[in-house]
């Protein structure tokens, strides 16, 4: 899972004498489930931490960390089966990439990966046109609601730090 652009930006910021508090701790990316015909060099298996569901994903993220604008906890489902989910909002470029990809990927899954650990899954039921991805997330030792709240808080802090790094690069 390469995050070369972000890694280079982080190195540049470190070399420029940036405080350690400006470095994002949680690097989130969205990967896609690999089709069966993809060669073994282009895919890898990830496993969710609680359910232990294993999914084979492409090794390159469809949505890198710098294209995630923010997250938000949401509640969805039938009234007696409501559950917490993590809404991940994408920038315009990634929203377009997701829209184009999901046109023909119904039946596959998106996987939310943080620091090389899979934490969420989203089935692709239809083409996604709004740039909003809704993940079921898991974290060991936490309930569904706790995991959603904690991941949302941490990812929003990191997204803000990444935006600051990108702005500093433009100057």
């Amino acid at each position: 899972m390469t995050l070369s652009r972000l890694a280079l930006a982080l190195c540049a910021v470190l070399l420029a004498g940036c405080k350690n508090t400006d470095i994002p701790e949680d690097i989130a990316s969205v990967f896609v489930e690999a089709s069966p015909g993809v060669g073994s060099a282009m895919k890898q298996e990830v496993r969710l931490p609680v359910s232990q569901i294993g999914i084979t994903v492409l090794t390159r993220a469809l949505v890198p960390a710098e294209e995630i604008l923010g997250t938000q906890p949401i509640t969805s489902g039938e009234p007696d089966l409501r559950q917490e989910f993590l809404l991940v909002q994408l920038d315009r470029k990634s929203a377009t990439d997701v829209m184009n990809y999901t046109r023909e990927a119904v039946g596959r899954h998106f996987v939310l990966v943080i620091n090389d650990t899979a934490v969420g899954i989203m089935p692709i039921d239809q083409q996604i046109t709004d740039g909003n991805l809704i993940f079921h997330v898991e974290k060991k030792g936490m309930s569904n609601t706790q995991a959603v709240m904690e991941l949302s808080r941490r990812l929003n802090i990191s997204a803000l730090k990444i935006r600051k790094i990108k702005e500093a690069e433009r100057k």
Side-chain angles (χ1 to χ4, degrees), residues 4-162:
S4 58
R5 289 188 298 183
L6 183 59
L8 290 173
L10 291 175
C11 289
V13 169
L14 282 174
L15 292 173
C18 181
K19 297 178 190 173
N20 285 342
T21 58
D22 291 341
I23 308 284
E25 293 178 23
D26 301 298
I27 306 298
S29 300
V30 177
F31 289 79
V32 296
E33 183 177 6
S35 61
V38 173
S40 61
M42 299 293 293
K43 61 185 178 182
Q44 65 184 4
E45 184 172 328
V46 295
R47 193 165 295 282
L48 293 171
V50 177
S51 65
Q52 291 297 304
I53 295 172
I55 301 165
T56 303
V57 297
L58 296 175
T59 56
R60 184 174 175 156
L62 180 64
V63 180
E66 60 267 21
E67 295 175 4
I68 294 175
L69 297 176
T71 65
Q72 184 176 344
I74 63 168
T75 304
S76 184
E78 298 296 320
D80 55 342
L81 299 172
R82 296 187 75 71
Q83 194 175 16
E84 298 295 320
F85 293 89
L86 182 66
L87 171 69
V88 176
Q89 299 163 319
L90 309 178
D91 70 6
R92 189 172 295 177
K93 179 196 175 305
S94 278
T96 301
D97 292 344
V98 164
M99 182 179 69
N100 292 334
Y101 178 80
T102 57
R103 185 179 315 130
E104 298 176 14
V106 172
R108 293 200 191 133
H109 296 86
F110 285 125
V111 178
L112 180 63
V113 175
I114 300 175
N115 300 337
D116 294 332
T117 302
V119 297
I121 188 169
M122 176 188 161
I124 302 170
D125 297 327
Q126 62 187 8
Q127 184 179 22
I128 299 166
T129 59
D130 62 2
N132 292 319
L133 304 179
I134 300 172
F135 288 93
H136 176 273
V137 296
E138 302 179 352
K139 195 164 182 187
K140 281 190 176 182
M142 292 187 173
S143 69
N144 170 252
T145 301
Q146 291 170 326
V148 168
M149 300 301 268
E150 174 70 10
L151 290 172
S152 180
R153 182 185 67 77
R154 292 181 66 124
L155 292 179
N156 283 333
I157 290 169
S158 290
L160 179 61
K161 289 179 179 182
I162 290 169

